[in-house]
Amino acid sequence: MNTHVKHLPADERRAVTVEAVVELAGSQNPSEITTAAIAKHMNLTQGALFRHFPTKDAIWQAVMEWVAERLLARIDCAAQGIESPLAAMQAIFMSHVEFVAEHPGVPRMMFGELQRAEQTAPKRIVQALIRRYGERLHRLIEAGKACGELSAALDTEAAATLFIGTIQGLVMQSLLAGNVERIRHDAPRVFAIYQRGIRSAQ
């Protein structure tokens, strides 16, 4: 991280801190990322870091807010202007996969937050992200059923759950393989199977 970080305005310093955490999470266990490691990565003192974030949890909350904002904006942009609900779902699927490939630390952090027994602000943000993501899928699936692209008998809730679960499975496989590029390779073939399961027989 360049020394110019020391001279950034407060808002930009916070944004750079978030990006530093996402970058660090791509190469190490997020639970082991300390404020000292973040400060060192940014070439700052811990004192300078804490001027913008009073606690480590405050940093994690800002990171999860960044993830939620960026991911939802990415999938909304991917689906924009696509008339076919099924094609829009495919665009969302692929854009989500690309987001993970670009930021491999993000799923590591999300899985880590969801595993925490206590209810924390970062965990609530992740839960809200999944809920808002699911709402978008529900609308597309219902639209697909209405126009005849998707089976009229399709269970909307189950189809949305499987969509998100399929991406989570791809993420887990890429993490286990230690190769984030694997998700880009596998995603089109996996979505093709998912698509066959929900498409109308007509």
Side-chain angles (χ1 to χ4, degrees):
M1 194 68 66
N2 294 332
T3 55
H4 81 279
V5 172
K6 294 180 179 179
H7 310 294
L8 290 175
D11 286 349
E12 289 184 44
R13 172 79 64 81
R14 287 173 63 86
V16 171
T17 303
V18 166
E19 290 169 9
V21 174
V22 172
E23 189 176 327
L24 284 168
S27 58
Q28 66 185 91
N29 185 339
S31 67
E32 297 173 359
I33 297 174
T34 63
T35 52
I38 298 167
K40 181 179 179 182
H41 189 72
M42 297 177 67
N43 197 26
L44 296 174
T45 64
Q46 284 192 73
L49 190 62
F50 282 125
R51 279 201 292 273
H52 300 282
F53 297 96
T55 64
K56 183 180 176 181
D57 272 352
I59 298 174
W60 251 239
Q61 181 175 341
V63 170
M64 289 301 110
E65 288 170 348
W66 181 93
V67 170
E69 180 184 324
R70 296 295 191 287
L71 180 56
L72 290 175
R74 176 77 69 96
I75 66 173
D76 285 344
C77 182
Q80 189 173 13
I82 300 178
E83 291 186 15
S84 160
L86 189 54
M89 289 175 70
Q90 182 173 12
I92 287 173
F93 192 95
M94 297 307 170
S95 67
H96 189 158
V97 163
E98 190 61 31
F99 182 82
V100 170
E102 291 171 11
H103 307 290
V106 166
R108 291 170 180 264
M109 298 188 72
M110 289 179 68
F111 286 142
E113 286 303 320
L114 290 172
Q115 287 173 28
R116 293 177 68 170
E118 69 275 24
Q119 189 66 269
T120 64
K123 184 175 180 178
R124 284 193 294 272
I125 292 167
V126 174
Q127 291 168 331
L129 165 61
I130 294 171
R131 185 178 64 252
R132 292 167 67 190
Y133 196 124
E135 289 166 356
R136 285 159 168 77
L137 293 174
H138 274 243
R139 288 195 293 270
L140 284 172
I141 292 166
E142 286 299 320
K145 289 162 71 174
C147 74
E149 268 194 346
L150 305 183
S151 169
L154 182 64
D155 183 328
T156 299
E157 176 115 14
T161 299
L162 183 58
F163 183 102
I164 295 172
T166 300
I167 294 175
Q168 290 170 338
L170 283 169
V171 169
M172 191 62 70
Q173 290 293 328
S174 69
L175 291 176
L176 288 170
N179 178 15
V180 75
E181 285 300 315
R182 175 173 175 166
I183 196 170
R184 285 188 172 117
H185 177 262
D186 292 345
R189 297 180 299 146
V190 170
F191 185 83
I193 295 172
Y194 173 80
Q195 181 175 256
R196 283 199 293 273
I198 66 172
R199 181 182 276 160
S200 170
Q202 295 179 349

